[in-house]
Amino acid sequence: DTAVSQTPKYLVTQMGNDKSIKCEQNLGHDTMYWYKQDSKKFLKIMFSYNNKELIINETVPNRFSPKSPDKAHLNLHINSLELGDSAVYFCASSQARIAGGPTDTQYFGPGTRLTVL
Amino acid sequence: AQSVSQHNHHVILSEAASLELGCNYSYGGTVNLFWYVQYPGQHLQLLLKYFSGDPLVKGIKGFEAEFIKSKFSFNLRKPSVQWSDTAEYFCAVNPNSGGYQKVTFGIGTKLQVIP
């Protein structure tokens, strides 16, 4: 059983295009996240949603727009793709939205490797 | 804002050698600490975590980590590594501030175990 799934696994596209990455979790968690892992493997949070509500937006360019149709899904839409957007994007989920307890462990999806040419 | 430093970026060990990966964080308050592992081609998985109680935490696959509050450290250890431990290891910190979760990851340490 896949806990956190993402599609597609690989995405190759031209500069200027618009693309979407989908994420679904079947853990019953209330909170979902998007992270970007750059070529140096540095992992940085982009967004966090709790029960369809945006709670963290880490000064990401507004070309990136997350959308949460329900608490089990968090999609990431990227407009006007740039070379610097090439990275691996990870979706994650956690039971708790508040830090500080045994339930704040985040569970990660397999990642989507985005390559912008 | 919190930050995480992992001192060793690339570690090469022979099988059966002992492992210690350093992790230091900067944050003035209470924190929850994590080690995640990313095996080649796979997603991040939780190795172990500390949120309260005994500062020596035991995780999966024989790994353990010790939280030393005075040193702001959470080093990962394993007495005898195996080839299958080859992976990237990430230390992470989540301020226990009662606010929203905002995990900060270190840059990762690539561990290569030679048979």
Side-chain angles (χ1 to χ4, degrees), chain A residues 14-79:
Chain A
Q14 301 284 338
M15 267 198 324
N17 284 351
D18 304 338
K19 290 292 177 186
S20 292
I21 307 171
K22 295 186 176 181
C23 177
E24 176 181 1
Q25 53 95 4
N26 62 8
L27 296 167
H29 290 167
D30 286 339
T31 309
M32 296 183 73
Y33 311 82
W34 277 110
Y35 286 87
K36 179 180 179 181
Q37 187 179 45
D38 63 23
S39 57
K40 295 183 179 177
K41 296 280 191 172
F42 185 56
L43 196 63
K44 189 169 172 17
I45 190 167
M46 300 172 68
F47 300 103
S48 171
Y49 266 73
N50 177 256
N51 208 3
K52 303 192 295 176
E53 179 190 349
L54 177 67
I55 56 174
I56 290 176
N57 181 343
E58 280 295 288
T59 59
V60 178
N62 57 16
R63 297 183 296 104
F64 291 78
S65 52
K67 283 189 173 53
S68 182
D70 55 62
K71 73 174 191 177
H73 295 85
L74 180 62
N75 304 324
L76 183 65
H77 188 74
I78 315 170
N79 289 327

